Amino acid sequence: MDKYLVVLLGPTGVGKTDLSIFLAEHFNTSIVSSDSRQIYKEMNIGTAVPEKEYLERVKHYFIGSLSVKDYYNSWKFEQEAINRISQLHHSSDVVLLVGGSMMYIDAICNGIDDIPTIDKDLRDDLQKKYEEEGLDSIRMLLKKLDPVFYAQVDLKNGKRVLHAVEVCLMAGKPYSELRTKNQKERDFKIIKVGLNRNREELYDRINQRVDIMIEDGLIEEAQKLHDLKHLNSLNTVGYKELFGHFDGEYDMEEAVRLIKRNSRRYAKRQLSWFNRDKDIMWFNPDDKEEILKAIKAKMQ
RNA sequence: GGUGCCAUAGCUCAGUUGGUAGAGCAAUGGACUGAAAAUCCAUGUGUCCCUGGUUCGAUUCCAGGUGGCACCA
């Protein structure tokens, strides 16, 4: 009997959660979350974690399982989620992967190349060099360490250049040699269901959801995390804009405006990424029965 | 009803001494392999309210109309 992973993806605010409960109950299965921010237990309101009732009705994994202080990345997620999925496949033929974090989804569906974990000291040293000597000096390093990747990389993107240098130094060989781009074999079949709405409707939903988050106490939630704002986990839409307000950079109205705008832009970036993937079947989240039918057809 | 002011991008507005126009905000498209809700790149989208007039040429000047605002009745 074939095992299936049904991947439910789409931009933020499109309505993945409601549909995921419907599908999970229909297939009598669990949900593995592929959301890089809902995984942190201190960030519930701002990341629109499914409401308590849903979490009780359907077993969810990778929601609220980490602290914002924990270091995490998509490679770790790949290891842990793949393990979890195969364990769940013992008792269920269908498992749901639900979330909008593009690279987390990719890590499960395609796999990520094996490269060494970067030493914290090395990361800090390079970061310091970047800040003191500028991007150009990091670029020169990369040119020397890995001319092949240097020719491919977006040289204006500091993070990319920096990371490539880190990997070269850590691995002792060029990053480009480690980038196989090989698709990993999985022992389950993948069915990708993409959710989208017309742009105006999607943006309305995003805007409204931000207002609801504020009513639900997002400001208080962010206040508690203010001291930790330097953490990567808190470099997140909904929190960083409030930190800016707490630090006196602008008023609350402006903070809310920025949260809405940045959420919309995030949704746009997600769509850009997903649109490349020709395996995705696209639907409006309201068409539940149609979606179910399409999934079942794929399982024939 | 009268007088005055205004009408230009999705919004707020600038501008053209007459040669079809540009800022901010918003928006759009894209990249992406161990920070990814991150990070980076690119893009001005327009009956310049309508109809006539003057002019080689009108978004710009003139007249009328329409709509909005203010004041006076």
Side-chain angles (χ1 to χ4, degrees), chain A residues 113 115 146 149 152 174-182:
Chain A
D113 287 331
I115 61 173
D146 188 350
F149 191 66
Q152 300 167 353
Y175 180 38
S176 53
E177 284 180 22
L178 300 167
R179 282 164 56 87
T180 66
K181 294 211 168 203
N182 285 344

Side-chain angles (χ1 to χ4, degrees), chain A residues 160-217:
Chain A
R160 294 263 159 74
V161 177
L162 212 49
H163 180 61
V165 171
E166 287 176 344
V167 175
C168 293
L169 292 173
M170 203 68 209
K173 57 172 149 179
Y175 180 38
S176 53
E177 284 180 22
L178 300 167
R179 282 164 56 87
T180 66
K181 294 211 168 203
N182 285 344
Q183 176 125 0
K184 286 186 188 161
E185 285 293 314
R186 301 299 188 203
D187 54 8
F188 47 80
K189 293 188 174 170
I190 294 172
I191 298 173
K192 290 177 185 167
V193 175
L195 302 180
N196 201 183
R197 297 173 181 276
N198 78 55
R199 196 59 66 86
E200 198 184 343
E201 192 187 349
L202 177 64
Y203 283 4
D204 278 349
R205 286 175 62 101
I206 289 172
N207 295 157
Q208 281 170 28
R209 196 173 67 164
V210 172
D211 289 331
I212 292 169
M213 285 175 181
I214 298 290
E215 279 170 35
D216 286 351

Side-chain angles (χ1 to χ4, degrees), chain A residues 94-112:
Chain A
V94 180
V95 172
L96 287 177
L97 183 75
V98 180
S101 295
M102 300 88 87
M103 206 153 82
Y104 279 33
I105 296 167
D106 243 38
I108 300 303
C109 296
N110 304 321
I112 295 181

